[in-house]
């Protein structure tokens, strides 16, 4: 039976290094002796139920984690009297309180021993294939992954095949060549035979669309690494770009990869190293078979030059502009001259310098799963017996998550700090009820304190294109360590919230100098236009997007401003100013004025804000409203707040809820879920937005209806159902936030109870 553990093997593994005892590290471990016969039978029941309904409910519900935590509950459950939810009247205070107690006591049971809330952060279908291809080509697949790991990965891929035989970019997406070809290859490496009916269906899907050479550029890269696609069929990714001058005065310096958005930069860094090496791995019977299976024509007859720009219409979210095709053609002609040259050798050495820096400064976790396995491959190519390659291996397990749908590779090593910071604010919103959960809050406080970045990355930061870090909070764990504007802000708000509570109950406040360091980072993140981006300042111009080579992701080239990051920083600074009014007062005030002006400037004509990291307009508009409220703007004095409320109320469903589809993200137009359904998370975001700007003082009925909807959606256990996917990145790829279904309904009902019902 699979067991979830935190900080597993932290003190024993000789290749694991940590700054804080691996606090927050999440690992699923196979233990054949674990669980009772009833629990093991329940696991099989949950798996069978998911498989049976997989085409209707594509999102797993983290049932294995919930099963493991079943005996950890300290309070409840608390039944909600249906009489307290009259159809045409406000919910009664007792019903709201019972729903909150039920939800809070259930969610407390999911908290890990180190204080964070674990949860599924999967969703994208292109992550695990890169890891499997890397393990296979480096010859360590069988020594790293147990038969149980492989079986769960096969289960996951079987569960997420679409009815047409293909696989999407993410679990809820329509079929793409990127998802289908890589999932097919992964299943074959994991031991599934070519005659398997699901693989036959995938093969039919690919062949009907021309074959696997119509995959996106990232897919072409991975197939080339495996040896089932020619390196001549890739548009160039020359490592020499890392030798370009960085200085802006040179002109070309504006296009230096050090100015790219860090996720883009840290993916194309190892990609360019591998491309520059063009490794040819020894052919195997499997790769020879795949050369035949992936294409509807003989491998020897594929026109690789033509294949460079081939991309299936199902995948093409960002088509190449003409200037890009001209650039790739030019570099394609030059590439034979660079192979093996002194310049190429110098460029490869420069790339490896930055790869090792990234590995060492993240304790081999790396910024994300794509560059994680790419860096691992680069270390192996440099020296198969190196300690760097060996240190990568145990950190692979930080990215793997098991649920009833199987084992997946997550989009990060988790969302630990992010979720925990939100959870603290959600519990605090319930007023006196929070005092019943002080042990839970103390543990969360401990996690937040231990996860703050308290020292800079290795100097000199400028040489490695890194922003300052000291005082920031990361998205996941201290060992990951990459600082982010909104994570730092939510971490700061959680710390300030806890500092207002009794230290004897929730622990001593984080010392003021450390909070000052965080404010320093937040102020440093603000861009010249007043907005905030994610990990760094915007270092170049958005026109660089014309050379976005990914085909399937949007807005990846520079670090764009976002409403979420800008709002989080604004609300953090206002909360900080309330507690420390004299610290850098003039700078904070100026920053807030500029930030609010920017935020208003990006509000859409219909009153909404586009959400960049959540689905979508309900998410973005919640952040926008929170920022306005933090500086004293609401329904009574702000046309921006009134416009936002009008937008939200225009999308409210008959049952009082909101239900927004992920299609809003990719199409940038509000899209209602099929069947006119309401979604607990969207409903909570909308309710929080309306409460923030005081709409209940104008008309409380829509808020009463929203609260009633949330309570009716709640399960008897206190949990909320896992519905459609809630997270997104780069416009077009969705990602799971399993904890949102608990955090935000609690938060929304807590604020509703306090602001509308007048309960403390």
């Amino acid at each position: 039976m699979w067991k979830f553990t935190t900080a597993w093997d932290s003190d024993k593994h000789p290749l694991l290094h940590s700054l804080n005892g691996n606090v927050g590290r999440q690992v699923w471990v196979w233990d054949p002796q674990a669980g009772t016969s009833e629990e093991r039978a329940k696991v099989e029941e949950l798996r069978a139920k998911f498989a049976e309904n997989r085409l209707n409910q594509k999102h797993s519900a983290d049932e294995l984690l919930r099963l493991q935590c079943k005996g950890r509950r300290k309070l409840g459950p608390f039944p909600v009297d249906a009489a307290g939810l009259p159809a045409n009247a406000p919910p009664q205070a007792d019903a709201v309180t019972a729903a909150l107690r039920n939800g809070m006591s259930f969610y407390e049971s999911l908290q890990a021993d180190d204080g964070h809330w674990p949860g599924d952060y999967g969703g994208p279908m292109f992550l695990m294939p890169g890891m499997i291809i890397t393990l296979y080509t480096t010859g360590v697949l069988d020594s790293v992954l147990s038969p149980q790991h492989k079986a769960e990965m096969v289960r996951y891929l079987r569960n997420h095949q679409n009815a047409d035989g293909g696989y999407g970019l993410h679990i809820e997406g329509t079929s793409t060549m990127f998802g289908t070809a890589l999932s097919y290859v992964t299943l074959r490496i994991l031991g599934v035979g070519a005659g398997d009916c699901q693989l036959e269906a995938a093969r039919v899907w690919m062949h009907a669309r021309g074959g696997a050479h119509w995959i996106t550029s990232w897919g072409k890269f991975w197939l080339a690494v495996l040896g089932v696609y020619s390196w001549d069929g890739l548009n160039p990714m020359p490592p020499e770009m890392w030798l370009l001058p960085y200085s802006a005065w040179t002109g070309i310096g504006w296009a230096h990869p050090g100015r790219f958005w860090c996720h883009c930069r840290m993916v194309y860094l190892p990609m360019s190293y591998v491309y520059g090496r063009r490794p040819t791995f020894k052919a195997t019977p499997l790769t020879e078979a795949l050369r035949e299976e992936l294409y509807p024509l003989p491998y020897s007859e594929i026109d690789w030059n033509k294949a460079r720009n081939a991309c299936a219409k199902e995948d093409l979210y960002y088509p190449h502009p003409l200037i890009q095709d001209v650039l790739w053609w030019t570099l394609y002609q030059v590439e034979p001259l660079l192979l093996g040259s002194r310049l190429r050798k110098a460029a490869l050495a420069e790339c490896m310098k930055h790869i090792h820096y990234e590995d060492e400064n993240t304790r081999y976790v790396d910024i994300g799963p794509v560059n994680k396995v790419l860096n691992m491959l680069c270390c192996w190519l440099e020296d198969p017996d190196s300690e760097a390659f060996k240190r990568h291996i145990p950190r692979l397990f930080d990215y793997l998550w098991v649920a009833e749908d199987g084992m997946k590779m997550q989009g990060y090593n988790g969302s630990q700090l992010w979720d925990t910071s939100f959870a603290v604010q959600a519990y605090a919103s319930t007023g006196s009820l929070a005092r019943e959960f002080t042990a839970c809050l103390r543990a969360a406080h401990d996690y937040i304190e231990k996860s703050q970045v308290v020292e800079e990355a290795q100097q000199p930061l400028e040489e490695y294109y890194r922003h300052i870090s000291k005082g920031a909070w990361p998205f996941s764990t201290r060992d990951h360590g990459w600082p982010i504007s909104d994570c730092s802000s939510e971490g700061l708000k959680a710390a300030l919230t806890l500092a207002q509570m009794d230290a004897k109950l929730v622990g001593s406040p984080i010392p003021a100098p450390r909070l000052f360091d965080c404010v320093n980072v937040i102020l440093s993140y603000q861009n010249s236009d007043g907005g905030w981006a994610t990990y760094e300042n915007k270092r170049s111009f958005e026109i660089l997007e014309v050379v976005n080579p990914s085909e399937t992701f949007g807005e990846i080239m520079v670090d764009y401003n976002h409403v979420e990051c800008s709002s989080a920083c604004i609300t953090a600074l206002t909360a900080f100013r309330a507690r420390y009014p004299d610290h850098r007062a003039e700078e904070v005030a100026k920053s807030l004025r500029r930030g609010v002006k920017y935020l208003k400037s990006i509000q859409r004509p219909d009153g909404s804000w586009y959400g960049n990291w959540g689905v979508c307009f309900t998410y973005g508009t919640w952040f926008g409203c929170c920022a306005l409220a933090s500086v004293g703007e609401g329904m009574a004095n702000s046309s921006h707040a009134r416009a936002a409320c009008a937008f939200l109320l225009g999308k409210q469903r008959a049952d009082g809820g909101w239900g927004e589809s992920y299609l809003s993200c990719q199409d940038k137009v509000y899209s209602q879920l099929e069947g006119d359904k309401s979604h607990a998370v969207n409903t909570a975001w909308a309710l929080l937005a309306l409460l923030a700007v005081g709409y209940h003082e104008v008309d409380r009925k829509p808020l009463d209806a929203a609260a009633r909807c949330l309570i009716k959606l709640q399960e008897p256990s206190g949990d909320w159902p896992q519905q459609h996917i809630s997270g997104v990145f780069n416009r077009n790829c969705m990602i799971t936030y399993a904890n949102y279904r608990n955090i935000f309904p609690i938060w929304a009902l807590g604020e509703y109870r306090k602001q509308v019902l007048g309960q403390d």
Side-chain angles (χ1 to χ4, degrees):
M1 186 170 169
W2 288 97
K3 294 193 329 185
F4 172 79
T5 63
T6 56
W8 177 77
D9 212 17
S10 300
D11 298 324
K12 299 177 183 178
H13 203 298
L15 297 175
L16 274 178
H17 171 60
S18 175
L19 299 173
N20 63 359
N22 278 289
V23 168
R25 184 171 187 245
Q26 304 174 347
V27 179
W28 284 86
V29 180
W30 172 255
D31 182 352
Q33 306 303 319
T36 64
S37 58
E38 291 80 9
E39 287 172 331
R40 290 193 288 271
K42 183 64 176 178
V43 169
E44 295 306 320
E45 177 188 332
L46 292 167
R47 288 169 173 166
K49 182 179 178 181
F50 182 89
E52 182 181 357
N53 197 41
R54 67 181 187 85
L55 295 176
N56 298 314
Q57 174 59 36
K58 298 186 177 184
H59 205 303
S60 60
D62 244 356
E63 295 287 9
L64 301 194
L65 177 69
R66 281 157 169 72
L67 179 63
Q68 182 173 320
C69 295
K70 194 172 182 180
R72 295 168 56 95
R73 190 165 187 169
K74 301 174 183 176
L75 300 171
F78 299 93
V80 179
D81 187 352
L85 299 172
N88 297 309
Q92 294 179 7
D94 287 348
V96 176
T97 299
L100 278 168
R101 277 204 173 99
N102 210 19
M104 295 166 76
S105 59
F106 175 84
Y107 192 48
E108 180 187 30
S109 72
L110 302 183
Q111 188 177 29
D113 292 338
D114 62 13
H116 84 275
W117 272 272
D120 184 349
Y121 192 61
M125 293 300 296
F126 61 90
L127 301 177
M128 189 163 64
M131 179 187 70
I132 297 300
I133 290 171
T134 295
L135 292 175
Y136 181 79
T137 54
T138 56
V140 298
L141 178 70
D142 293 334
S143 62
V144 172
L145 297 182
S146 69
Q148 290 78 23
H149 284 90
K150 295 177 186 177
E152 289 301 323
M153 291 175 180
V154 169
R155 185 194 312 278
Y156 178 75
L157 292 172
R158 289 195 183 280
N159 275 327
H160 291 290
Q161 186 176 29
N162 290 330
D164 63 4
Y167 289 82
L169 179 65
H170 54 88
I171 57 174
E172 294 190 13
T174 56
S175 296
T176 63
M177 190 66 75
F178 190 24
T180 305
L182 289 186
S183 296
Y184 183 96
V185 163
T186 303
L187 283 166
R188 292 288 279 119
I189 294 173
L190 292 173
V192 179
D196 178 87
C197 62
Q198 286 189 270
L199 286 186
E200 287 180 348
R203 206 158 54 241
V204 168
W205 191 95
M206 288 188 290
H207 288 192
R209 290 155 181 81
H213 52 300
W214 286 82
I215 198 171
T216 60
S217 58
W218 285 24
K220 295 179 196 294
F221 174 88
W222 281 119
L223 295 180
V225 168
L226 184 58
V228 298
Y229 187 95
S230 172
W231 288 107
D232 291 334
L234 272 74
N235 279 319
M237 292 178 276
E240 288 78 12
M241 62 183 175
W242 289 87
L243 298 178
L244 293 172
Y246 181 84
S247 298
W249 67 265
T250 64
I252 192 64
W254 289 110
H256 189 285
R259 296 185 183 275
F260 295 173
W261 180 46
C262 57
H263 274 284
C264 177
R265 178 169 83 238
M266 302 315 292
V267 165
Y268 283 104
L269 167 67
M271 271 191 176
S272 67
Y273 178 85
V274 178
Y275 178 83
R277 290 280 303 266
R278 293 196 179 197
T280 302
F281 296 98
K282 183 179 179 181
T284 67
L286 175 59
T287 58
E288 292 292 341
L290 284 170
R291 286 187 173 195
E292 296 181 6
E293 296 166 24
L294 292 171
Y295 311 100
L297 70 164
Y299 187 79
S300 60
E301 294 181 12
I302 298 174
D303 184 339
W304 295 112
N305 183 32
K306 187 177 180 180
R308 288 187 300 114
N309 293 311
C311 184
K313 63 180 177 59
E314 292 84 355
D315 295 66
L316 198 57
Y317 183 72
Y318 186 85
H320 290 179
L322 177 61
I323 188 174
Q324 198 174 135
D325 291 336
V326 172
L327 174 63
W328 302 145
W329 182 88
T330 304
L331 292 173
Y332 192 73
Q333 306 308 312
V334 174
E335 178 61 21
L337 303 176
L338 294 173
L339 276 172
S341 67
R342 290 184 179 180
L343 183 63
R344 175 58 54 91
K345 291 177 182 177
L348 292 173
E350 180 71 8
C351 288
M352 282 309 302
K353 180 182 82 170
H354 288 277
I355 288 167
H356 287 313
Y357 180 91
E358 161 72 352
D359 290 343
E360 292 163 7
N361 282 273
T362 60
R363 279 49 65 185
Y364 289 84
V365 175
D366 296 311
I367 196 172
V370 179
N371 88 309
K372 160 66 184 172
V373 295
L374 284 168
N375 282 15
M376 180 177 172
L377 177 61
C378 292
C379 291
W380 186 87
L381 288 170
E382 184 185 45
D383 179 2
D385 197 41
S386 66
E387 182 171 302
F389 174 70
K390 294 173 184 176
R391 284 190 178 276
H392 268 290
I393 292 173
R395 286 296 188 187
L396 287 173
F397 299 101
D398 296 41
Y399 283 94
L400 302 181
W401 188 266
V402 182
E404 67 271 23
D405 60 341
M407 177 175 280
K408 63 207 75 177
M409 193 173 198
Q410 301 185 105
Y412 227 74
N413 66 323
S415 52
Q416 296 90 316
L417 186 280
W418 182 249
D419 290 341
T420 303
S421 297
F422 276 151
V424 165
Q425 295 174 75
Y427 273 64
S429 75
T430 65
S432 59
L433 293 182
R435 290 196 286 272
E436 299 177 23
F437 300 94
T438 53
C440 165
L441 290 169
R442 175 184 280 273
H445 198 180
D446 187 58
Y447 183 78
I448 291 168
E449 188 277 326
K450 289 179 178 175
S451 298
Q452 188 180 16
V453 179
V454 294
E455 59 188 16
E456 294 292 358
Q458 179 184 328
Q459 300 286 353
L461 299 179
E462 297 81 5
E463 183 175 338
Y464 297 96
Y465 317 112
R466 286 292 299 266
H467 196 82
I468 61 171
S469 303
K470 185 181 179 184
W473 269 278
F475 182 70
S476 56
T477 63
R478 172 68 185 92
D479 285 334
H480 182 285
W482 273 86
I484 313 177
S485 62
D486 53 357
C487 300
S488 299
S489 297
E490 300 301 340
L492 177 61
K493 285 192 286 183
L496 291 169
T497 298
L498 290 160
Q500 297 176 43
M501 299 181 180
D502 187 343
K504 294 179 181 178
L505 299 177
V506 301
S508 300
I510 294 176
R514 286 173 55 178
L515 303 185
F516 297 166
D517 286 341
C518 183
V519 168
N520 182 60
V521 175
I522 292 172
L523 292 172
S524 75
Y525 274 130
Q526 192 170 28
N527 286 313
S528 59
D529 59 3
W532 280 267
T534 57
Y535 292 79
E536 297 160 343
N537 300 111
K538 186 187 291 186
R539 295 176 175 177
S540 192
F541 304 105
E542 295 179 10
I543 191 64
L544 270 184
E545 207 64 39
V546 300
V547 293
N548 171 358
S550 70
E551 295 104 7
T552 197
F553 304 116
E555 299 188 5
I556 68 169
M557 295 303 294
V558 297
D559 206 344
Y560 290 83
N561 291 338
H562 298 127
V563 63
E564 301 97 321
C565 298
S566 300
S567 170
C569 291
I570 289 168
T571 52
L573 290 175
T574 55
F576 175 82
R577 182 171 63 175
R579 187 168 178 86
Y580 299 100
D582 298 325
H583 183 77
R584 300 176 68 171
E586 187 174 336
E587 291 176 74
V588 170
K590 181 179 179 182
S591 175
L592 287 170
R593 287 194 298 271
R594 294 173 57 229
V596 172
K597 182 179 179 181
Y598 170 79
L599 196 89
K600 291 178 178 179
S601 75
I602 62 169
Q603 188 177 22
R604 292 161 64 101
D606 64 3
S608 68
W609 280 271
Y610 176 85
N612 300 270
W613 303 101
V615 179
C616 168
F617 293 100
T618 44
Y619 186 63
T621 304
W622 168 54
F623 273 99
C625 287
C626 286
L628 293 176
S630 73
V631 294
E633 294 196 25
M635 285 296 296
N637 61 357
S638 172
S639 61
H640 293 275
R642 290 191 290 271
C645 291
F647 168 81
L648 290 171
L649 293 170
K651 308 302 180 185
Q652 191 172 22
R653 315 319 302 158
D655 65 358
W658 283 258
E660 191 173 2
S661 165
Y662 78 84
L663 295 173
S664 293
C665 305
Q666 63 184 46
D667 298 338
K668 298 186 179 181
V669 176
Y670 188 95
S671 179
Q672 171 63 37
L673 284 173
E674 289 185 11
D676 210 29
K677 298 175 183 176
S678 287
H679 192 299
V681 178
N682 294 130
T683 301
W685 287 335
L687 178 53
L688 283 165
L690 294 168
L691 287 164
V693 294
Y695 190 82
H696 55 288
E697 297 173 358
V698 176
D699 180 8
R700 63 175 280 182
K701 290 181 181 178
L703 287 76
D704 292 336
R708 187 187 309 113
C709 177
L710 284 175
I711 297 172
K712 286 187 173 182
L713 283 170
Q714 190 180 33
E715 297 173 351
S717 65
D719 201 2
W720 272 269
Q722 177 61 62
Q723 297 168 283
H724 292 270
I725 203 159
S726 295
V728 63
F729 61 91
N730 300 131
R731 304 290 183 267
N732 196 38
C733 192
M734 306 306 125
I735 196 163
T736 296
Y737 285 86
N739 285 304
Y740 279 11
R741 72 201 237 213
N742 302 100
I743 293 169
F744 289 106
I746 290 171
W747 198 342
L749 289 174
E751 291 292 346
Y752 171 82
R753 178 176 177 268
K754 177 172 56 181
Q755 296 190 45
V756 180
L757 301 183
Q759 306 286 309
D760 69 344

